[in-house]
Amino acid sequence: MSEMDTVEQEQIALDVNDFPGGARSAIEAVLMVVDQPITEIALASALELPVDDVRAHLEDLEREYAAQQRGFTLRSVAGGWRVYSRSDYAPVVEKFLLDGQQAKLTQASLETLAVIAYRQPISRSRVSAVRGVNVDGVVRTLLNRGLIEELGAEGDSGAVLYGTTDYFLQRLGLGTLDELPALAPYLPEVDVLDEIAEQGRA
């Protein structure tokens, strides 16, 4: 029997319940090494467990961390699960990170990101119409930070359309865009944006 066959047999024979902490500890071990949220299906597949069992373990772990007042929590964000520092400890984490290590978004970037988040898919000219200034540089910054992405081109004009990324959801701690605060009613509709953009080009 080759070494490859032995490795394959060991992988097939994996039973997370054989580990001292069982399935729950195996799930924790995986969560400690992921750098982005992992789906219940991916965890179930990797650990050879039913999805319902994985979901139950994740929810139990989340409750357990809260009850023990741990400095971290387990949250479902952007369609997957990940360990995060608990918001109660934000001042401690912020103090650690703010020794010149954390680059903040400028006001212009935040405003542009908000327009894109609430009116996506949206072109740069429409974002400029809302903000009243050219946003080319800001859009490049947001693209480089991974907060927005190109979503294709507009049918008539061929203008590139932008929208937010899963990373944006992660950074805001949101599961979906539906969880954004109700700001959209205060932004102009698309036809009004077109009219403003046309006036700006005239």
Side-chain angles (χ1 to χ4, degrees), residues 24 55-70 73-74 81 86:
R24 190 171 300 182
R55 185 179 304 114
H57 284 306
L58 289 165
E59 290 169 353
D60 286 347
L61 283 168
E62 187 176 21
R63 284 191 292 271
E64 185 179 307
Y65 297 157
Q68 294 174 355
Q69 297 184 334
R70 306 300 295 262
T73 185
L74 187 57
W81 291 80
R86 193 172 294 283

Side-chain angles (χ1 to χ4, degrees), residues 169 174-182:
L169 293 175
L174 302 174
T176 69
L177 290 170
D178 293 336
E179 295 175 23
L180 283 169

Side-chain angles (χ1 to χ4, degrees), residues 83-97:
V83 174
Y84 290 88
S85 59
R86 193 172 294 283
S87 59
D88 298 343
Y89 297 93
V92 176
V93 175
E94 185 175 349
K95 187 175 187 315
F96 175 75
L97 291 176

Side-chain angles (χ1 to χ4, degrees), residues 186-201:
Y186 299 101
L187 292 173
E189 295 298 333
V190 171
D191 55 347
V192 177
L193 291 179
D194 287 339
E195 187 177 330
I196 297 171
E198 282 302 320
Q199 288 172 357
R201 284 193 288 267

Side-chain angles (χ1 to χ4, degrees), residues 16-51:
V16 292
N17 294 308
D18 290 341
F19 290 95
R24 190 171 300 182
S25 293
I27 289 170
E28 280 184 310
V30 173
L31 288 168
M32 290 299 133
V33 299
V34 297
D35 59 359
Q36 58 187 354
I38 184 169
T39 65
E40 294 166 2
I41 293 172
L43 271 171
S45 175
L47 301 176
E48 299 177 19
L49 292 168
V51 175

Side-chain angles (χ1 to χ4, degrees), residues 102-110 113 138 141-142 145 147:
Q102 187 180 41
K104 293 186 176 181
L105 289 176
T106 64
Q107 186 69 27
S109 295
L110 287 171
L113 184 56
V138 176
T141 298
L142 295 173
R145 296 272 186 102
L147 295 167

